[in-house]
Amino acid sequence: MFVVGGEGYPPDFDENNPNSQGGKPPHKGDEDEEEYPCYPKNDVWYYDIEENKWAKLKVKNPEEFQPRFAHTCNIYKEYLTIFGGLRDYHHSTNDICVLSLDSSNPF
């Protein structure tokens, strides 16, 4: 199983320091999300069912795989294809990113 992108906390967020986001707590879902900044991710995670472990995979050219959330992903043969998504709450993308799952030439 793969998990790609998504939305998360800012890189410098510290849950033990309420000032790590300029004094603003992370969005909890009950507030108007437009008031809160969006922090899309471009992480690629793999879950090994047999080992019961997660591994963060390294993308060879991360600058070509822009952070996003609300996108679609499909696996076809040895390729993971990511299409579209949101860069933030107001900007969408319709780009396509193809990552190789071939163990001899990963990502």
Side-chain angles (χ1 to χ4, degrees):
M1 173 173 67
F2 290 89
V3 176
V4 179
E7 184 181 1
Y9 297 125
D12 63 347
F13 177 72
D14 177 359
E15 65 183 22
N16 297 315
N17 179 0
N19 296 318
S20 66
Q21 266 196 160
K24 202 175 223 186
H27 175 58
K28 297 291 186 188
D30 55 344
E31 305 94 351
D32 182 8
E33 60 187 22
E34 304 243 348
E35 294 179 15
Y36 285 80
C38 174
Y39 300 98
K41 304 291 184 186
N42 66 346
D43 296 354
V44 179
W45 290 83
Y46 170 71
Y47 180 69
D48 186 325
I49 295 171
E50 293 177 7
E51 296 289 325
N52 192 29
K53 291 182 182 179
W54 285 97
K56 184 175 180 180
L57 304 177
K58 183 174 175 153
V59 177
K60 283 184 179 178
N61 298 314
E63 64 280 354
E64 294 178 15
F65 177 45
Q66 297 297 312
R68 67 191 69 220
F69 64 99
H71 53 280
T72 61
C73 295
N74 291 292
I75 294 177
Y76 179 71
K77 297 187 179 181
E78 68 272 2
Y79 300 100
L80 175 64
T81 304
I82 301 104
F83 173 71
L86 297 173
R87 302 256 195 251
D88 60 38
Y89 296 120
H90 303 287
H91 300 97
S92 63
T93 180
N94 64 354
D95 63 348
I96 296 174
C97 183
V98 179
L99 305 175
S100 173
L101 301 177
D102 181 356
S103 61
S104 65
N105 184 25
F107 292 48

